Amino acid sequence: MKILVTVKEVAEVDDEFRISGLDIDESSLEYDLNEWDDYAVEEAVQISEENDDVEVVTVTIGPERAEETIRMALAKGADRAVRVWDDSLESAQFLDIDTKAELLAAVAEQEDPDFVLSGVQAGDDANGATGVALAERLGFEWAAVVNSLDLDADAGLASVRRELEGGVEELTDVDLPAVLTIQTGINEPRYASLRGIRQAQRKPLEVQGLDDIGLDDSVVDSPVERTEMYEPESEGDATYWEGSPEETAGELAEFLRDKGVVEG
Amino acid sequence: MTVLAVAEHRRGEVRDVSFELVTAGRRLADDLGTDLSLLVVGGDVDGFAEDLNRDGVDTIYTVDEGEEFNHGVYTQAIEQLHAELDPTALVTPNSVNALDYAPAVAESLDIPLVTDVIDFEADGTVEVTREQYGGKVETTYDVDADQYAITIRPAEWPKAEETGDAAIEAFDADIDADLGTTVNGFEEVGGGDVDITEADVLVSIGRGIEEEENLPLVEELADALGATLSSSRPIVDNGWLPKNRQVGQSGKVVTPDIYIAIGISGAVQHVAGMKGADTIVAINTDPNAPIYDIADYGIVDDLFEVVPELIEEFGGEAPDI
């Protein structure tokens, strides 16, 4: 059985940051494994530990820098990795949902997985749509926002819980092959062990250009164009208590006494 | 030409976001100089259509197929009605269920999709606004296409309240019964010992607490205040507090007199659950954290410095952590 996991390297923004042009300035960004994908990797690795003959392959769209993040997923137990990148992707302003789905689908078609796990969303652009768009491209079934997964590979069925709004979960059976988008909290992602990190250095990480996956640079053509990025004006009118922790805590305490929360 | 909006219901009731969708859909239709069509699929479609008949809706299409949401039924119904109406815009809520069908519909129809839209301006093409990087920036996107799909963020538009006089039409969609997914039911999660929706004062903790070992600090504060302890999502994801303590879109909606948000950045999903609090106090090191947009009072400082002082103010003793 082969599980393909989509892994994204996401940009995290410092508390103080600068915008240059249509994106946040590189100097204000740090990169990390997307939180939702971390849970997807963990879910795949747990399945591989509980079953014989399971291969976990990660696929990432990203520049060479992303290999640090990919190695992290390998250190946590994925078997090998594919990274898709080339000059046309590098020069694209941004990659829209459709482009990402097309790139990932091309790799999925080569890999022919039994199912695909993908984080519900990415922490930076938060589209929440790539996994389901990928399923449609592949002609796979799917389930979005999965927070529990019980797999019956022999029956070709995944019994999942989908986390709806307001503390309600939907119990759904999904035919395989499928793309499942994984919600945080489904498991407890492990830390990469030192041994895992050492082993990850020796695991295969294959880089593929558009040619290699049977696409050309028209894949980056998009009717969606970013036109502006700015810091939203604060809508807040909060009263700030300032001073040492003792002083601010004193202000808050007095406020709570005034409100009758605490006496004396 | 029309704007086609897809309503949402669950367990026999139209969800609030559907009435917000009417407001947003009407505005988009006005911008485009066209009419607004609604689609409602499954369950008591006639009853739902009656509820959804609000001012500004021109036509409500009903597809009487299935009881609850199934994305197989939704995708087929939407794609067929889309072919019939040829709408400029397909509009859905940015809900868990819409994210389970809208990306597939957009791929299948080969139209661009932009999700979690908080504002838009249509004039020939449409320019949409969304948030990125955890709400730290807003971005605008120009969508240069004759047809497109957008999902709109819940609670950004007011609900349409006035009754309307829409035409209601049953749409005869040809639904392939071989769906590939079967919905077996629903379950409420997070019952338990404490009902945070009943609390007058909530001390709520987020990612800023860093480690499970640090929780006694806020527990002590809650004790000293006679308050109830609640949290944002990551604390529950980590298993540090049970699900019944979670405030937010997928947790509980709370309306206490006082909500003290400690180490909570204020992601939109969290804010959805607590913005109805009477008074919001935030303690966070990041002065740009979105929580300060809705807070009434703020302390921009390290919670590990402020909370022990606060405990002492009320005669308690901060635990050693």
Side-chain angles (χ1 to χ4, degrees):
Chain A
M1 183 162 69
K2 189 192 280 188
I3 309 171
L4 187 66
V5 187
T6 67
V7 169
K8 189 180 179 201
E9 180 201 59
V10 295
E12 290 175 359
V13 183
D14 297 340
D15 285 352
E16 300 292 333
F17 63 93
R18 221 159 52 85
I19 294 171
S20 65
L22 290 172
D23 217 331
I24 290 178
D25 191 75
E26 215 28 64
S27 63
S28 312
L29 295 177
E30 284 174 36
Y31 293 91
D32 204 353
L33 170 60
N34 179 37
E35 187 183 356
W36 284 262
D37 295 345
D38 195 13
Y39 287 85
V41 168
E42 177 64 32
E43 197 65 16
V45 170
Q46 285 188 12
I47 292 167
S48 77
E49 287 168 346
E50 287 156 15
N51 297 274
D52 294 333
D53 297 328
V54 177
E55 187 184 28
V56 177
V57 183
T58 66
V59 53
T60 301
I61 304 165
E64 196 174 349
R65 186 196 58 228
E67 292 194 0
E68 201 176 322
T69 292
I70 297 170
R71 293 283 176 204
M72 195 52 71
L74 291 171
K76 290 177 178 214
D79 297 298
R80 62 186 176 84
V82 178
R83 175 170 74 83
V84 180
W85 201 246
D86 73 4
D87 292 346
S88 15
L89 298 176
E90 176 82 45
S91 58
Q93 185 200 31
F94 78 102
L95 303 177
D96 74 1
I97 295 162
D98 181 56
T99 301
K100 285 183 212 163
E102 195 171 348
L103 291 165
L104 295 172
V107 174
E109 271 159 13
Q110 284 186 347
E111 292 288 340
D112 194 24
D114 294 275
F115 61 100
V116 181
L117 300 181
S118 179
V120 164
Q121 64 176 37
D124 47 10
D125 51 19
N127 289 318
T130 308
V132 173
L134 170 63
E136 174 65 26
R137 275 208 170 256
L138 291 172
F140 279 21
E141 253 310 318
W142 71 86
V145 194
V146 167
N147 70 356
S148 165
L149 166 61
D150 185 9
L151 190 70
D152 186 345
D154 294 334
L157 204 67
S159 297
V160 305
R161 284 167 179 263
R162 296 183 54 233
E163 184 190 82
L164 306 179
E165 296 87 353
V168 178
E169 295 182 347
E170 181 196 278
L171 286 65
T172 302
D173 288 340
V174 186
D175 291 349
L176 299 179
V179 179
L180 307 176
T181 77
I182 300 298
Q183 176 64 302
T184 60
I186 188 173
N187 53 40
E188 214 173 303
R190 69 194 67 192
Y191 289 101
S193 65
L194 278 174
R195 184 163 162 269
I197 291 168
R198 274 202 308 272
Q199 281 174 342
Q201 296 304 323
R202 294 193 297 273
K203 290 181 177 176
L205 197 169
E206 191 184 347
V207 184
Q208 303 218 323
L210 292 179
D211 278 355
D212 303 316
I213 55 172
L215 298 173
D216 60 47
D217 58 10
S218 66
V219 70
V220 299
D221 291 344
S222 171
V224 185
E225 190 189 351
R226 188 182 291 163
T227 47
E228 222 182 326
M229 178 178 281
Y230 51 90
E231 276 186 74
E233 274 177 41
S234 172
E235 296 158 10
D237 51 0
T239 303
Y240 289 94
W241 290 309
E242 286 168 3
S244 68
E246 194 183 344
E247 287 163 342
T248 55
E251 296 264 19
L252 175 51
E254 193 183 324
F255 169 80
L256 292 171
R257 285 190 190 103
D258 282 351
K259 286 276 183 182
V261 173
V262 218
E263 285 173 16
Chain B
M1 202 168 88
T2 186
V3 169
L4 173 60
V6 184
E8 188 161 319
H9 59 85
R10 182 175 303 147
R11 300 165 110 181
E13 281 185 31
V14 174
R15 298 194 64 227
D16 278 354
V17 70
S18 301
F19 301 110
E20 297 161 17
L21 192 71
V22 169
T23 304
R26 183 66 253 167
R27 220 196 80 199
L28 184 55
D30 285 344
D31 279 5
L32 295 167
T34 184
D35 59 1
L36 173 64
S37 305
L38 275 193
L39 169 63
V40 59
V41 182
D44 173 19
V45 287
D46 295 329
F48 295 154
E50 205 173 302
D51 284 354
L52 287 162
N53 196 340
R54 302 283 159 109
D55 193 29
V57 184
D58 296 290
T59 313
I60 301 171
Y61 295 92
T62 61
V63 172
D64 188 5
E65 188 84 36
E67 276 307 306
E68 288 291 348
F69 175 77
N70 181 302
H71 67 232
V73 176
Y74 270 62
T75 51
Q76 294 179 66
I78 296 165
E79 283 162 26
Q80 289 171 32
L81 186 60
H82 198 276
E84 177 97 2
L85 299 178
D86 207 22
T88 306
L90 175 66
V91 189
T92 80
N94 196 70
S95 62
V96 171
N97 279 348
L99 289 174
D100 195 53
Y101 68 78
V105 168
E107 279 293 318
S108 171
L109 296 172
D110 197 21
I111 58 175
L113 166 70
V114 186
T115 61
D116 204 17
V117 168
I118 58 171
D119 201 4
F120 53 76
E121 211 168 308
D123 172 21
T125 61
V126 68
E127 187 174 69
V128 299
T129 307
R130 60 196 308 278
E131 287 184 348
Q132 279 175 243
Y133 299 108
K136 290 197 167 181
V137 296
E138 286 183 5
T139 43
T140 57
Y141 289 89
D142 192 46
V143 185
D144 186 11
D146 295 337
Q147 293 184 306
Y148 49 84
I150 60 174
T151 74
I152 65 151
R153 177 178 289 181
E156 283 291 321
W157 279 269
K159 287 184 272 189
E161 306 274 5
E162 298 290 317
T163 307
D165 55 358
I168 296 172
E169 284 186 32
F171 178 68
D172 191 15
D174 182 18
I175 306 293
D176 181 352
D178 185 15
L179 292 170
T181 61
T182 314
V183 179
N184 297 315
F186 298 94
E187 219 168 86
E188 306 266 357
V189 292
D193 51 332
V194 174
D195 186 357
I196 58 172
T197 66
E198 295 288 325
D200 295 329
V201 182
L202 283 170
V203 168
S204 206
I205 187 68
R207 226 184 260 273
I209 196 72
E210 292 173 2
E211 305 281 345
E212 186 173 15
E213 289 66 37
N214 299 334
L215 271 188
L217 184 65
V218 281
E219 284 167 346
E220 182 63 36
L221 176 63
D223 274 356
L225 296 177
T228 303
L229 188 63
S230 61
S231 83
S232 66
R233 172 166 200 121
I235 306 303
V236 172
D237 278 350
N238 286 336
W240 300 348
L241 285 174
K243 181 94 183 167
N244 63 355
R245 303 282 182 152
Q246 186 185 327
V247 174
Q249 207 168 65
S250 56
K252 302 272 169 125
V253 175
V254 296
T255 52
D257 297 334
I258 297 175
Y259 188 87
I260 307 176
I262 303 177
I264 289 178
S265 68
V268 60
Q269 293 86 351
H270 182 75
V271 168
M274 49 65 81
K275 65 181 173 195
D278 219 36
T279 303
I280 297 166
V281 181
I283 304 174
N284 196 305
T285 47
D286 177 5
N288 297 314
I291 191 78
Y292 289 118
D293 286 344
I294 56 159
D296 300 288
Y297 297 92
I299 297 174
V300 180
D301 206 341
D302 186 350
L303 75 91
F304 296 106
E305 301 284 335
V306 177
V307 173
E309 294 286 348
L310 198 53
I311 292 168
E312 280 176 30
E313 279 280 344
F314 298 114
E317 199 179 321
D320 266 341
I321 52 170

